[in-house]
Amino acid sequence: MAWYCSGSTNNELVENLVKVELIKNERVKEAMLGVDRAHYAPSRPYSDSPQRIGHGATISAPHMHGQACEYLIDHLQPGSQVLDIGSGSGYLTHVFANLVTAPGSSDQGQVIGVEHIPELVELARTNMNNSDDGRKLLESGKVKFITADGRLGWKEGAPYDAIHVGAAAEQLHPLLIQQLRAPGRLFIPVDSSDDESLTSSVGGGQYIWVVDKKADGSVHKQKVFQVKYVPLTDAPRS
Ligand code: SAH
């Protein structure tokens, strides 16, 4: 689906994603129109494909960013608390922030980006500083980037209404489910296995799993579609 949605401007790219119904929700569309990808993917910003951002990482393709927002949208309300694991370029962190904060409002929405490569944490901050609204989100603390192993979540900011994982995990890390609010939703790519218990990482592709913690605390897991993400790993030794 990659190249079909590419555009020559940010608006064209987002409109193309809307046309093919990869983006259906009006709030998702507005949030993505509000963040110029040129600040996050300088080489081919409006191409609907992943781009290298250094350190073995990529900024995911726009259609994946759109899909992540679509699946999480009910939990991305003004005032929501969000965790973005493997925040990389910081692009999606910024889009989430547009959804959970209103400019100038006093609502307490916050997005925490967790990334294990310190240079990428710096890159994400630099990228956000490229725009006035990005800079304000950082200055107000409505967006925070933390250097840490995202497989552990970030308990200091929990509970989260929404948790997004931007790299493929070997398993549905239990700490992430623990850190969800009830109700709350986790969007996570997981290495495939036919084992329903998800304890084995052996096997072919990766699938997005959507995990809902309902208001009564019960947990429901759903395997939704196949994907290709970089792995969620140990940090490289420096
Ligand atoms: N959402 C980001 C995706 C970046 S690619 C974007 O679109 O820009 C996935 C990111 O996950 C990489 O930046 C990689 O460094 C990071 N990552 C991999 N393993 C991690 C871990 N254990 N903890 C935190 N971040 C991790």
Side-chain angles (χ1 to χ4, degrees):
M1 76 181 66
W3 46 92
Y4 294 134
C5 295
S6 300
S8 56
T9 62
N10 201 61
N11 282 18
E12 208 174 284
L13 167 66
V14 175
E15 290 296 349
N16 287 343
L17 292 166
V18 171
K19 251 184 236 160
V20 297
E21 298 188 354
L22 281 163
I23 298 175
K24 293 183 180 156
N25 186 287
E26 191 60 28
R27 292 179 57 235
V28 171
K29 175 182 166 185
E30 288 306 315
M32 286 181 66
L33 285 173
V35 183
D36 189 344
R37 285 183 74 90
H39 296 148
Y40 295 88
S43 58
R44 288 160 63 217
Y46 311 124
S47 167
D48 190 17
S49 60
Q51 312 280 322
R52 290 182 196 287
I53 55 170
H55 306 276
T58 55
I59 173 171
S60 300
H63 65 262
M64 276 316 307
H65 289 141
Q67 287 287 283
C69 292
E70 287 280 327
Y71 275 95
L72 290 170
I73 192 66
D74 288 349
H75 303 272
L76 298 170
Q77 301 295 339
S80 294
Q81 180 75 1
V82 182
L83 186 64
D84 182 22
I85 295 172
S87 47
S89 68
Y91 168 80
L92 191 57
T93 324
H94 190 165
V95 173
F96 287 154
N98 281 357
L99 287 160
V100 304
T101 67
S105 93
S106 59
D107 65 53
Q108 295 302 304
Q110 186 185 42
V111 189
I112 298 176
V114 174
E115 168 58 59
H116 68 165
I117 298 181
E119 290 86 349
L120 291 179
V121 167
E122 264 322 296
L123 177 72
R125 289 195 184 113
T126 304
N127 290 344
M128 283 205 76
N129 274 316
N130 280 331
S131 64
D132 281 348
D133 60 329
R135 192 165 43 248
K136 282 181 195 147
L137 285 165
L138 279 177
E139 281 168 5
S140 63
K142 290 179 175 176
V143 167
K144 263 191 190 153
F145 291 104
I146 311 276
T147 308
D149 184 346
R151 292 171 291 194
L152 307 176
W154 182 254
K155 68 174 184 327
E156 289 80 349
Y160 300 101
D161 300 277
I163 300 180
H164 170 263
V165 184
E170 287 182 359
Q171 52 158 307
L172 280 175
H173 295 287
L175 282 174
L176 303 186
I177 298 174
Q178 220 176 75
Q179 290 175 27
L180 275 181
R181 198 189 298 281
R185 178 171 267 201
L186 164 66
F187 178 100
I188 181 171
V190 183
D191 285 339
S192 153
S193 91
D194 293 322
D195 173 359
E196 283 305 310
S197 69
L198 285 176
T199 50
S200 159
S201 65
V202 182
Q206 306 160 350
Y207 287 82
I208 294 293
W209 284 78
V210 168
V211 181
D212 283 311
K213 193 188 270 186
K214 304 280 188 197
D216 65 4
S218 62
V219 173
H220 303 258
K221 302 168 186 172
Q222 205 190 333
K223 185 177 179 177
V224 288
F225 59 92
Q226 194 166 12
V227 286
K228 196 161 189 283
Y229 278 68
V230 301
L232 198 61
T233 59
D234 292 332
R237 300 205 184 147
S238 46

